[in-house]
Amino acid sequence: METQLFLILFALIIFSAFASFVNAQNKPEFAEQPLYDAKDNGINVLLDHSHQFTFFCAWDIPPILREGGFRVISSQATLDTVLAKDGKSRVRFGNGKQRPFGWMQNPEFNAVITYQFDPNSQDYLPEEIKALKQFVENGGGLIIIGAGLHKPEDTKKWVINSLAKEFGAFFSEKPATASFKDPGSELTASLEIPNSGRYPSLLVDDSWKILINGAENLPLLAIREFGKGRIAIISDIEIIKWGKDSAKNQTKSKNANGTFLYGLLNWICANQSPVGGSRNLPKEAWGGGAIYPDQEIELGGITILYAKNQKRDLLDAVQKYMPEVKAKIESWIPSAPPKDRMYLILSSGGGGGWAVNVYEPKEVGIISLDQEGILSVFAHELAHTMWGPPNDKGETAGRLPELFSEAHAGWFQGKIAELRTGKRNGHDPNRLFDIDKDGKSIDITKIEGKEHDKGWTKLWWIFQKLDERYGAVWYPRWVWVKNTRWMNESDRKLSWDDVVEDMSIAVGEDLFPFFSEIGTTLEKDRFPESEFLGKKIVLPIAPITITKTGNAILAEIGDYKKEISVIHD
């Protein structure tokens, strides 16, 4: 009997240990949100990006708030989704190379910050407005931020006003100008009020207390009680940005306006207890997180994430045209298939995108309000994840100079733009001659910092000249040659001479004289012969001249492993 009891107890202990292990493996893991030298005040802030995603709000606001002791969770899911007490949010788990997407129970929040600057951005859905009103009525805090002066017809359709009017406020097209006045509230004591400027004014009812006025007593910042909660409304994000009047006082300005934000958040949260608990919460990391949109579309190895308030015509672009764009880029630059599924985040507002390649699965963000913009940014960010034909080991080898990364992505972005619209616009190689009159003054080996865009433009012109002489196949052939040639030195940081050698081998002609003529600093003047895959190659000088280029070469590339025949002399 004792033996049986012992065995049963032993089995229970083993089962309990196993269950604990399984739970530990399945438990969402997040790093502790850094608060730097600040004391944790236990206040959870939801930073809403589902009605517009801007880089300043996404990547500058969270750190400054954490320096004040606040926990910040940014979100691209609609507000009703994230504020639902029994709901779940899509996040990325883990802190290492692998960060899988999954679902976590919605955290509690003390405050919500929502903003919108473009009248054409995504809607505040009725269910979002209802959820926000209920959140504030129950004691939550809310900050509403606008930006930009808009035409009367645009102001009327500006959807942030559908939210503001529920609380007795409205963003107006009437400009508030200097001088700006602070009646003396403690809340605004540290705020660096602008010296000048024109900002949208606010129309507010008698429930609001005005904290900052422009000329003619037009309000810019106001606060009010609502139910058990509190609200603040700011007419323009520029009012609270740091360094707006002078870049020289950036640090001082940041400290001042950060202190203002801390005080404003503490005020709107004063009628409730801090959420508290663990600081191990999801946090933005390189990409668009921390909470991602909850809706999804599958597209051949890509999962497109979008929020419920996404515009229908933008979703049409994803479903109807994105597969064609994806297939075209894959045909132009054949690459090793990604190890993991790619996630594409269809964000709100307009303004570019991002690509996360530092951890898996890869994440690409697109911020655009028109179909061609979405497809263009998609082409750019997709190209960032595709680096051409691998070597026989299935690997890439030889690290290109930094300039190539954006030039590579922009090159294929421009091709897609011309394929779809007939124009490459900002990616037109002939823009080179607006910044480099004779084609010889910009040295791509000397490009640094803010000059990168000039380097990209010159590389696009070089790529186009090579396209016109050798056909578009030269590009994937060059990458394959690079990956093959440096197979045994896979992490070699390539010099510019290495790059031009690889290109010369790929096209079968010596490109050193051409690169030298266009002002490129190289160690050698000629590369008359080489050896590749055990075969000696004689490389005559490539007779390429400095002239404007024609239209993009959009034909199929053919076999990139075959030697190239010149298509235009």
Side-chain angles (χ1 to χ4, degrees):
M1 185 68 177
E2 290 181 357
T3 302
Q4 288 179 325
L5 286 173
F6 172 78
L7 290 173
I8 291 171
L9 287 171
F10 180 74
L12 287 172
I13 291 169
I14 295 297
F15 177 78
S16 177
F18 177 74
S20 298
F21 172 77
V22 171
N23 288 334
Q25 298 306 303
N26 293 331
K27 183 181 179 181
E29 292 183 359
F30 307 104
E32 189 176 70
Q33 285 205 2
L35 299 182
Y36 312 103
D37 296 326
K39 182 181 179 182
D40 181 9
N41 60 24
I43 293 176
N44 280 4
V45 179
L46 173 62
L47 179 57
D48 170 41
H49 301 309
S50 67
H51 304 90
Q52 184 149 13
F53 187 102
T54 70
F55 295 126
F56 174 77
C57 291
W59 294 329
D60 286 53
I61 293 290
I64 194 71
L65 294 185
R66 292 186 185 115
E67 288 179 17
F70 298 89
R71 300 99 161 278
V72 185
I73 304 175
S74 57
S75 170
Q76 292 197 70
T78 51
L79 288 162
D80 61 309
T81 302
V82 186
L83 292 175
K85 287 188 177 180
D86 298 325
K88 292 186 176 182
S89 294
R90 192 197 304 265
V91 295
R92 300 194 75 156
F93 296 139
N95 305 296
K97 176 70 174 176
Q98 291 294 325
R99 302 191 185 190
F101 283 87
W103 298 87
M104 66 167 284
Q105 189 70 34
N106 282 344
E108 291 185 67
F109 294 99
N110 296 105
V112 174
I113 300 175
T114 186
Y115 64 93
Q116 189 177 71
F117 312 149
D118 189 334
N120 298 305
S121 287
Q122 284 71 9
D123 288 344
Y124 284 84
L125 301 176
E127 53 266 41
E128 291 186 277
I129 294 174
K130 181 180 178 181
L132 265 184
K133 286 184 71 175
Q134 186 174 19
F135 173 77
V136 178
E137 285 171 344
N138 290 341
L142 173 63
I143 298 177
I144 305 171
I145 307 174
L149 283 165
H150 306 291
K151 296 177 181 177
E153 58 270 25
D154 290 331
T155 301
K156 288 178 183 177
K157 71 176 183 181
W158 193 1
V159 292
I160 199 172
N161 274 326
S162 65
L163 172 66
K165 71 180 183 181
E166 294 291 327
F167 302 106
F170 190 86
F171 291 89
S172 170
E173 71 277 4
K174 190 171 183 179
T177 58
S179 59
F180 302 112
K181 307 179 192 71
D182 180 353
S185 167
E186 289 183 15
L187 285 175
T188 55
S190 67
L191 179 64
E192 182 194 61
I193 299 174
N195 296 329
S196 60
R198 291 163 54 87
Y199 304 102
S201 58
L202 298 169
L203 299 175
V204 293
D205 65 24
D206 293 340
S207 304
W208 292 86
K209 178 182 178 181
I210 298 169
L211 299 185
I212 300 288
N213 271 321
E216 301 179 14
N217 292 323
L218 293 173
L220 293 167
L221 170 60
I223 57 174
R224 69 164 294 180
E225 306 268 352
F226 189 88
K228 297 178 182 178
R230 292 177 168 184
I231 307 173
I233 188 166
I234 301 170
S235 76
D236 199 304
I237 189 74
E238 292 295 328
I239 294 168
I240 61 172
K241 275 189 180 179
W242 33 92
K244 53 188 169 290
D245 287 325
S246 171
K248 293 180 180 178
N249 75 337
Q250 180 86 3
T251 301
K252 180 180 177 182
S253 170
K254 185 175 181 179
N255 291 337
N257 290 1
T259 302
F260 160 73
L261 288 172
Y262 309 154
L264 190 63
L265 276 168
N266 280 318
W267 184 84
I268 66 168
C269 295
N271 292 349
Q272 55 183 309
S273 299
V275 167
S278 172
R279 288 213 324 265
N280 294 88
L281 297 165
K283 172 181 172 290
E284 71 289 343
W286 298 98
I291 293 175
Y292 290 81
D294 64 314
Q295 308 290 303
E296 64 183 69
I297 299 170
E298 296 299 320
L299 176 63
I302 297 178
T303 299
I304 296 101
L305 306 181
Y306 66 96
K308 286 192 303 181
N309 66 343
Q310 189 53 265
K311 293 177 177 289
R312 183 66 253 175
D313 64 318
L314 302 187
L315 293 177
D316 286 344
V318 168
Q319 293 173 310
K320 292 181 181 179
Y321 307 122
M322 199 171 279
E324 299 171 6
V325 170
K326 180 174 181 287
K328 200 64 181 176
I329 292 180
E330 289 172 343
S331 74
W332 285 333
I333 184 72
S335 304
K339 297 177 182 178
D340 215 334
R341 173 171 291 274
M342 178 195 292
Y343 284 77
L344 187 153
I345 294 86
L346 197 57
S347 298
S348 296
W354 67 86
V356 174
N357 298 312
V358 296
Y359 44 79
E360 299 288 346
K362 291 181 172 63
E363 169 189 325
V364 169
I366 298 179
I367 315 168
S368 182
L369 284 168
D370 68 87
Q371 289 188 341
E372 293 306 325
I374 281 184
L375 297 172
S376 177
V377 176
F378 170 66
H380 182 102
E381 303 300 348
L382 179 63
H384 264 308
T385 70
M386 301 176 65
W387 273 104
N391 54 38
D392 288 346
K393 293 181 179 180
E395 300 172 346
T396 59
R399 291 185 289 124
L400 291 166
E402 181 185 357
L403 192 64
F404 277 94
S405 179
E406 282 296 317
H408 165 87
W411 173 241
F412 290 100
Q413 181 180 9
K415 282 198 169 193
I416 287 296
E418 183 156 338
L419 176 69
R420 291 191 53 81
T421 69
K423 296 180 180 179
R424 278 188 274 191
N425 300 316
H427 298 86
D428 183 355
N430 287 321
R431 288 179 59 242
L432 172 68
F433 297 102
D434 295 333
I435 55 176
D436 188 356
K437 298 298 183 183
D438 61 0
K440 300 179 180 182
S441 62
I442 293 177
D443 183 349
I444 53 176
T445 72
K446 306 294 185 184
I447 294 290
E448 294 181 357
K450 294 181 180 180
E451 299 288 301
H452 273 180
D453 59 333
K454 295 180 180 179
W456 304 331
T457 303
K458 188 147 193 177
L459 279 174
W460 295 335
W461 177 80
I462 292 169
F463 295 165
Q464 179 68 19
K465 294 295 287 187
L466 300 183
D467 258 20
E468 291 177 0
R469 180 164 178 80
Y470 307 108
V473 70
W474 82 268
Y475 196 101
R477 179 171 171 79
W478 157 53
V479 177
W480 172 70
V481 167
K482 173 187 75 72
N483 291 336
T484 300
R485 192 171 179 226
W486 307 108
M487 188 185 304
N488 296 324
E489 300 178 66
S490 60
D491 201 41
R492 178 187 177 106
K493 185 176 180 180
L494 301 182
S495 68
W496 283 94
D497 277 63
D498 291 334
V499 171
V500 180
E501 285 181 8
D502 292 341
M503 288 182 173
S504 298
I505 292 170
V507 302
E509 292 186 328
D510 181 5
L511 294 173
F512 274 82
F514 166 63
F515 273 87
S516 296
E517 186 181 4
I518 62 174
T520 313
T521 300
L522 299 167
E523 294 296 319
K524 61 171 69 78
D525 298 322
R526 286 291 318 276
F527 188 52
E529 61 181 41
S530 185
E531 186 176 295
F532 182 65
L533 295 179
K535 180 181 177 181
K536 184 178 179 181
I537 307 171
V538 176
L539 301 170
I541 294 175
I544 303 175
T545 56
I546 304 176
T547 57
K548 286 192 173 184
T549 61
N551 295 331
I553 308 298
L554 305 174
E556 297 299 316
I557 62 166
D559 187 350
Y560 58 81
K561 291 188 178 182
K562 287 185 177 180
E563 294 182 8
I564 286 178
S565 298
V566 174
I567 63 169
H568 176 71
D569 234 327

